[in-house]
């Protein structure tokens, strides 16, 4: 009997051989197997079986029609798109004309129809059902032909592998990294739906003519158990479960499939995009035989053959790639979101988390992104800190000092919130210099530890509010430690610091640690006497969101419901209840068994409360209109959805620049709902205007720009169909983005 290890090697070599012309397959096997005669013998035998199956497949379907046109279970096949080791993909249309869209028909090869192969094949359809993402090929359905051939019906993707797209299109380094980030977010969507791809490589990431990457081939993916993290499916019987050149060390050694495998696979793809080479190359057999201690080369030392030099890779990009390619999963990025986050920091000239902190490194980053200082706020902050120091030195009454500190804290937060464009600012102010000066003043408070801890928490909260999460974490960790030493581990100050630090950790993607901080804060707030209702509700709210981000959907829903019930018991139908209703709806948003009716009712209630308390033109009301419109869209009520989405757009238009990204996203939402609701001409005009504005303001590679181009193509195609002249192109889907205030 053939061993599992030998079987994996045999199937890998044979699949690689099948990708070559028939005349070259024998020579390829000889070279790939080298002196391993047993591997060569088994590979030749399996190759003969595969060629036999393909021959029978052609004989069965081609038939007498000289054009090669035939039908499969009600689908009229018009051409072959591709062929793999166990299936063939055809371009097809419905024979009955009920749906004019072309589809990709993936059919299991006739010679391979058995229980194991069929189970693996149909499992791909079960996995694809989980996804609603613009960068993952859409799944339409599955079935079995009268001849007993399982098939999957999918969105047809016409494109080239991502490495060819980058090279042939001569993409610059910035555009290449942005394109790769889109792929990271598609993989992250799969992980949030508990699916590990396990075979990430350029040939499974196609880039369409419009420049959009699409993630393909979930045939060897794993479904993860959200409760224990172990794979829900057993190891695949008799089939290769990896591509050695892109497989993680634990995959090669037969370890469990986890999301860390995909982090490693993305690291290999990024290495190849940056250098034009793979970190571990050679024949599949040679790659499989590499030792566990083999370390990947440093990308900048390999010698980039793209449109940039090795100097562009030295430093951050070397560090990011090598962390993703770490031999041990624990040494890699903890998630795909963390890898994407470090790339975003690199592109924004911010310090990346993978590099150890140093004064010189942070200083260089600061100098590269220096902008116009927010001088007025700087003066306010410096004066407030000076007043607080003076009050401490004068040793005023402790209760009065505490009230003053809280007032200062709230005032500071309001000042920095005013820099947020969503609250009416013009978006051109810069607060980094303000915060830097405030942080430096903290060093003058060594003899006043209580005030230093309070102001560290204030500055940490402000850093969090404007997205400086790494600095917020440093300040809040100091505040937590200081308050614990000064006031004891069960004090109200410690509870506040735990809650603030937990929010920052959640934003940084460290969801397990965030949950632990919120649980500790929740225990303190529940035991606190007298009880602080607002603080307790805030912790419940944050814990629900962190549990959701962690993937514990059941606990997240239970906590979100407890949060809403608690708010109702304290504030009845006050404005605080709107946050609980909105975030319960958000936690329900991505569950497969989501009750859309409950979601719609929760978003309607949020809108009603905010209208009553804020009036019709408040930014929070705009967010509520947007979220309700999104839920109605997914429910299929496109007319009412378009009404609420248009209302949100109108409110934002009153205080945002005409080409602000938030407003452009709102325009995209409205046009998509109009198109799906059948108002093709109106949607077409909006998409045309949106594309021009997005290209001008955001550039051709931005997500909003690409979505506008994609949906404009679909609107153009539908308009042509209505007029009787069909235009070529692949069908688009009108998925709306996640509600904008998903993390209230």
């Amino acid at each position: 009997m053939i061993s599992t290890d030998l079987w994996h090697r045999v199937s890998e070599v044979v699949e690689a051989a099948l990708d070559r012309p028939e005349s070259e397959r024998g020579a390829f096997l000889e070279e790939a197997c080298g002196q391993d005669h047993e591997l060569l013998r088994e590979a030749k035998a399996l190759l003969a079986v595969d060629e036999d199956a393909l021959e029978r497949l052609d004989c069965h379907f081609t038939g007498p029609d000289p054009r090669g046109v035939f039908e499969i279970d009600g689908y009229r096949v018009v051409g072959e798109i591709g062929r793999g080791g166990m299936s063939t993909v055809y371009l097809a249309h419905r024979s009955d004309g009920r749906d004019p869209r072309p589809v990709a028909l993936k059919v299991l090869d006739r010679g391979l129809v058995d229980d194991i192969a069929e189970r693996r094949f149909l499992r791909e359809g079960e996995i694809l059902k989980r996804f609603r993402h613009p960068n993952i090929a859409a799944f339409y359905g599955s079935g079995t032909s009268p001849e007993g051939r399982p098939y999957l019906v999918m969105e047809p993707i016409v494109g080239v592998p991502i490495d060819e797209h980058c090279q042939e299109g001569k993409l610059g380094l910035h555009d290449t990294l942005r394109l790769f980030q889109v792929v990271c977010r598609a993989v992250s969507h799969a992980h949030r739906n508990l699916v590990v791809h396990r075979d990430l490589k350029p040939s499974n990431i196609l880039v369409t003519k419009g420049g959009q990457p699409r993630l393909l081939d979930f045939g060897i993916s794993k479904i993860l158990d959200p409760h224990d993290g172990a794979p829900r499916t057993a190891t695949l019987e008799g089939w290769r479960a990896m591509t050695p050149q892109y497989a993680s060390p634990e995959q090669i050694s037969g370890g469990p499939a986890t999301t860390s495998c995909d982090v490693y696979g993305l690291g290999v793809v990024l290495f190849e995009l940056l250098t034009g080479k793979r970190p571990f190359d050679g024949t599949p057999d040679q790659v499989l035989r590499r030792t566990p201690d083999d370390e990947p080369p440093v990308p900048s030392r390999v010698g980039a053959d793209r449109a940039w030099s090795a100097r562009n890779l030295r430093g951050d990009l070397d560090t990011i790639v090598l962390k993703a390619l770490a031999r041990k999963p624990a040494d890699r990025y903890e998630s795909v979101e963390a890898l994407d986050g470090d790339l975003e920091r690199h592109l924004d000239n911010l310090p990346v988390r993978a590099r150890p902190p140093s004064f010189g490194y942070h200083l260089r980053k600061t100098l590269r992104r220096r902008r116009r200082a927010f001088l007025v706020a700087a003066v306010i902050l410096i004066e407030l800190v000076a007043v607080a120091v003076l009050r401490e030195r004068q040793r005023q009454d402790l209760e009065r000092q505490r009230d003053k500190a809280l007032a200062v804290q709230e005032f500071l937060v309001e000042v920095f919130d005013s820099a947020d464009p969503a609250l009416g600012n013009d978006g051109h102010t810069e607060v980094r210099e303000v915060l830097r000066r405030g942080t430096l003043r903290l060093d003058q408070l060594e003899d006043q530890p209580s005030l230093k801890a309070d102001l560290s928490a204030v500055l940490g909260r402000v850093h969090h509010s404007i997205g400086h999460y790494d600095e917020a974490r440093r300040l809040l960790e100091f505040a937590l430690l200081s308050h614990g030493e000064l006031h004891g581990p069960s004090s109200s100050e410690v509870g506040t610091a735990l809650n603030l630090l937990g929010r920052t950790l959640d934003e940084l993607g460290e969801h397990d640690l965030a949950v632990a901080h919120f649980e500790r804060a929740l225990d303190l707030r529940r035991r606190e006497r007298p009880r602080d209702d607002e603080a307790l509700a805030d912790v419940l709210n944050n814990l629900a969101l962190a549990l959701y981000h962690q993937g514990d959907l059941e606990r997240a829903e239970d906590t979100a419901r407890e949060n809403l019930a608690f708010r109702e018991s304290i504030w009845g139908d006050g404005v605080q209840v709107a946050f609980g209703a909105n975030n319960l709806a958000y936690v329900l948003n991505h569950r497969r068994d989501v009750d859309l009716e409950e979601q719609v009712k929760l978003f309607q209630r949020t809108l009603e409360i905010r209208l009553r308390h804020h009036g019709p033109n408040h930014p929070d009301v705009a967010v509520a209109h947007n979220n309700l419109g999104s839920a109605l869209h997914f429910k299929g009520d496109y007319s009412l959805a378009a009404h609420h989405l248009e209302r949100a757009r109108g409110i934002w238009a009153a205080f945002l620049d005409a080409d602000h990204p938030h407003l452009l996203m709102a325009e995209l939402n409205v046009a998509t709902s109009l198109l799906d609701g059948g108002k093709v001409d109106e949607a077409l005009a909006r998409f045309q205007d949106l594309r021009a504005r997005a290209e001008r303001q955001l550039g051709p590679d931005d997500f909003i720009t690409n979505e506008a181009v994609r949906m404009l193509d679909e609107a153009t195609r539908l308009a042509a169909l209505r007029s009787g002249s069909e235009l070529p192109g692949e069908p688009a889907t009108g998925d709306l983005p996640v509600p904008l205030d998903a993390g209230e």
Side-chain angles (χ1 to χ4, degrees):
M1 178 181 292
I2 186 170
S3 68
T4 301
D5 176 66
L6 178 58
W7 174 253
H8 284 311
R9 292 159 55 208
V10 168
S11 57
E12 170 61 33
V13 171
V14 170
E15 182 155 336
L18 286 170
D19 289 336
R20 288 163 170 75
E22 186 174 354
S23 61
E24 299 176 9
R25 292 173 184 170
F28 172 79
L29 286 183
E30 297 281 352
E31 179 185 353
C33 296
Q35 299 301 313
D36 193 333
H37 301 295
E38 183 182 14
L39 175 63
L40 180 61
R41 183 180 64 254
E42 296 291 346
K44 284 183 175 180
L46 182 58
L47 180 62
V49 172
D50 275 323
E51 288 175 335
D52 235 15
L54 293 176
E55 187 176 307
R56 289 196 301 274
L57 176 68
D58 289 339
C59 291
H60 177 76
F61 281 107
T62 301
D65 191 334
R67 299 171 300 164
V69 178
F70 53 89
E71 288 196 7
I72 300 177
D73 200 19
Y75 288 94
R76 185 169 181 79
V77 174
V78 297
E80 182 177 310
I81 297 175
R83 190 185 292 264
M86 64 180 292
S87 62
T88 303
V89 183
Y90 300 99
L91 184 67
H93 294 270
R94 289 287 305 182
S95 303
D96 54 18
R98 287 186 300 176
D99 189 343
R101 295 181 301 174
V103 299
L105 211 62
K106 186 172 184 178
V107 185
L108 183 64
D109 288 349
R110 184 181 180 85
L112 300 176
V113 178
D114 59 30
D115 290 343
I116 295 173
E118 184 174 349
R119 190 160 60 248
R120 174 193 173 188
F121 183 80
L122 293 177
R123 192 191 53 168
E124 182 176 3
E126 292 300 315
I127 288 173
L128 289 172
K129 285 180 183 177
R130 293 169 170 251
F131 305 141
R132 283 181 64 97
H133 195 278
N135 300 108
I136 298 179
F139 176 72
Y140 300 145
S142 61
T144 303
S145 72
E147 298 84 4
R149 304 279 298 286
Y151 63 84
L152 306 177
V153 186
M154 299 181 293
E155 173 189 12
I157 304 298
V158 179
V160 298
I162 188 171
D163 57 337
E164 294 180 23
H165 172 81
C166 292
Q167 192 163 23
E168 293 172 2
K170 294 182 171 56
L171 263 67
L173 181 58
H174 181 275
D175 291 339
T176 297
L177 293 175
R178 286 299 188 197
L179 185 69
F180 180 77
Q181 282 187 289
V182 178
V183 177
C184 287
R185 289 157 195 175
V187 176
S188 178
H189 178 81
H191 289 180
R192 288 196 298 273
N193 284 275
L194 306 179
V195 173
V196 182
H197 190 284
R198 298 203 309 163
D199 198 21
L200 295 169
K201 54 187 177 182
S203 60
N204 282 340
I205 306 167
L206 298 187
V207 182
T208 67
K209 187 177 180 181
Q212 276 293 299
R214 300 291 181 88
L215 192 57
L216 309 176
D217 198 355
F218 285 81
I220 66 168
S221 299
K222 287 280 188 179
I223 302 176
L224 300 178
D225 189 324
H227 300 294
D228 61 16
R232 225 183 253 180
T233 56
T235 302
L236 299 174
E237 305 96 335
W239 285 99
R240 173 191 62 82
M242 62 182 169
T243 301
Q245 291 90 340
Y246 298 87
S248 64
E250 62 268 25
Q251 284 178 274
I252 292 176
S253 63
T258 67
T259 56
S260 191
C261 296
D262 283 351
V263 172
Y264 187 95
L266 286 169
V268 179
V269 173
L270 181 57
F271 188 105
E272 190 169 359
L273 293 179
L274 296 178
T275 69
K277 302 176 180 65
R278 290 189 284 256
F280 299 106
D281 218 337
T283 66
D285 184 56
Q286 290 169 337
V287 176
L288 284 170
R289 290 179 183 278
R290 76 177 190 256
T291 68
D293 295 327
D294 286 345
E295 296 292 342
V298 179
S300 63
R301 296 176 186 171
V302 171
D305 63 353
R306 297 291 194 245
W308 50 83
S309 67
R311 182 176 60 84
N312 299 115
L313 308 184
R314 196 173 299 123
D316 283 355
L317 290 177
D318 278 344
T319 303
I320 290 170
V321 172
L322 292 178
K323 184 171 180 65
L325 293 176
R327 181 168 60 86
K328 296 180 180 179
D331 294 334
R332 294 175 206 150
Y333 285 103
E334 64 270 20
S335 66
V336 175
E337 291 96 330
L339 167 60
D340 180 31
D342 252 4
L343 288 171
E344 187 69 27
R345 292 182 186 91
H346 168 72
L347 290 168
D348 288 343
N349 279 319
L350 292 168
V352 300
R353 292 174 55 207
R355 290 189 66 167
S358 71
F359 175 77
Y361 173 62
H362 282 253
L363 180 60
R364 288 193 301 273
K365 287 290 185 181
T366 300
L367 291 175
R368 287 176 186 172
R369 61 182 182 273
R370 185 176 181 180
R371 296 173 186 153
R372 182 163 55 93
F374 188 14
L375 296 177
V376 175
V379 173
I380 294 173
L381 177 61
I382 292 168
E383 290 301 320
L384 286 172
V385 172
V387 169
V389 172
L390 180 62
R391 297 300 187 191
E392 176 67 15
R393 287 176 176 173
Q394 293 175 343
R395 301 186 181 278
Q396 293 187 350
D397 178 75
L398 180 62
E399 190 66 30
R400 183 179 176 187
Q401 182 190 70
R402 178 168 297 177
D403 291 342
K404 179 66 177 179
L406 290 174
V408 168
Q409 175 176 330
E410 293 301 321
F411 182 72
L412 275 174
V413 172
E414 290 176 10
V415 168
F416 285 98
D417 277 349
S418 69
D420 187 344
L423 298 179
N425 189 272
D426 64 4
H428 297 298
T429 55
E430 171 61 50
V431 299
R432 184 170 296 278
E433 179 64 15
V434 177
L435 298 176
R436 186 188 69 82
R437 294 185 184 184
T439 303
L440 289 175
R441 291 295 297 270
L442 291 177
D443 294 335
Q444 302 175 18
L445 303 176
E446 291 297 331
D447 59 339
Q448 302 169 72
S450 179
L451 183 59
K452 184 175 181 179
D454 286 338
L455 290 174
S456 294
V458 171
L459 289 170
R461 181 178 172 187
V462 174
H463 272 289
H464 176 97
S465 72
I466 60 176
H468 300 168
Y469 300 122
D470 289 327
E471 184 64 11
R473 176 180 186 167
R474 186 185 69 79
L475 288 163
L476 292 171
E477 285 178 340
F478 174 81
L480 175 60
L481 179 64
S482 298
H483 282 310
E485 294 173 349
L486 291 166
H487 307 293
S490 301
S491 63
S492 175
E493 291 84 356
V494 166
T496 299
L498 283 167
N499 187 42
L500 291 173
L501 180 55
R503 290 175 55 204
T504 299
L505 292 168
D506 199 30
E507 290 288 352
L508 286 169
E510 297 188 27
H511 307 307
D512 293 346
L513 192 55
V515 167
H517 279 69
F518 289 136
E519 288 175 335
R520 185 179 164 198
L522 183 61
D523 181 60
L524 292 179
R525 291 305 184 192
R526 282 176 167 157
R527 291 190 284 111
E528 190 176 46
R529 293 293 181 270
R531 189 179 70 185
D532 186 335
D533 291 333
E534 289 194 5
L536 178 56
D538 193 37
V539 175
L540 278 171
N541 189 76
N542 294 338
L543 176 58
L545 293 172
L547 288 166
Y548 172 75
H549 298 150
Q550 184 190 47
D552 193 344
L553 302 183
E554 185 173 349
R555 278 193 66 201
E557 181 179 345
D558 291 344
T559 307
R561 291 191 186 280
E562 181 184 358
N563 173 42
L564 177 57
F566 178 78
R567 289 169 182 265
E568 290 171 333
S569 70
I570 302 299
W571 295 292
D573 216 21
V575 70
Q576 298 91 337
V577 176
F579 288 90
N582 180 83
N583 287 339
L584 173 57
Y586 170 67
V587 166
L588 296 174
N589 192 51
H590 291 290
R591 285 186 49 165
R592 293 184 64 197
D593 58 345
V594 63
D595 184 345
L596 287 175
E597 288 293 339
E598 183 178 13
Q599 272 193 308
V600 168
K601 289 178 181 177
L602 287 165
F603 283 134
Q604 283 175 331
R605 185 180 182 192
T606 301
L607 176 60
E608 290 167 359
I609 293 173
R610 289 178 175 174
L611 281 171
R612 187 164 59 251
H613 287 271
H614 299 308
N617 299 315
H618 192 276
D620 286 351
V621 173
V623 171
H625 275 297
N626 180 81
N627 293 356
L628 177 56
S630 297
L632 290 166
H633 180 98
F634 287 121
K635 186 183 175 185
D637 193 347
Y638 301 121
S639 177
L640 190 55
H643 165 76
H644 285 285
L645 293 169
E646 175 59 29
R647 186 72 189 94
R649 187 207 63 78
I651 297 172
W652 279 318
F655 59 85
L656 293 178
D657 291 339
D659 292 334
H660 191 283
H662 286 182
L663 188 56
L664 294 177
M665 180 63 79
E667 300 274 12
L668 179 64
N669 285 359
V670 175
T672 301
S673 234
L674 289 171
L675 181 64
D676 287 350
K679 297 183 178 180
V680 178
D681 294 335
E682 184 178 351
L684 181 61
R686 285 179 178 257
F687 282 127
Q688 288 171 335
D689 176 66
L690 175 61
R691 181 186 66 177
R693 291 163 58 194
E695 286 179 344
R696 180 177 63 250
Q697 180 70 13
L698 306 176
D701 297 327
D702 187 82
F703 171 80
I704 296 176
T705 304
N706 285 318
E707 281 299 292
V709 170
R710 188 172 74 92
M711 295 307 297
L712 175 58
D713 289 344
E714 177 65 356
T716 303
R717 188 182 69 84
L718 291 175
L721 285 174
R722 289 174 55 182
S723 66
S725 59
E726 183 169 359
L727 295 176
E730 54 189 73
T733 56
D735 290 347
L736 291 180
V738 173
L740 293 180
D741 63 341
E744 287 188 335

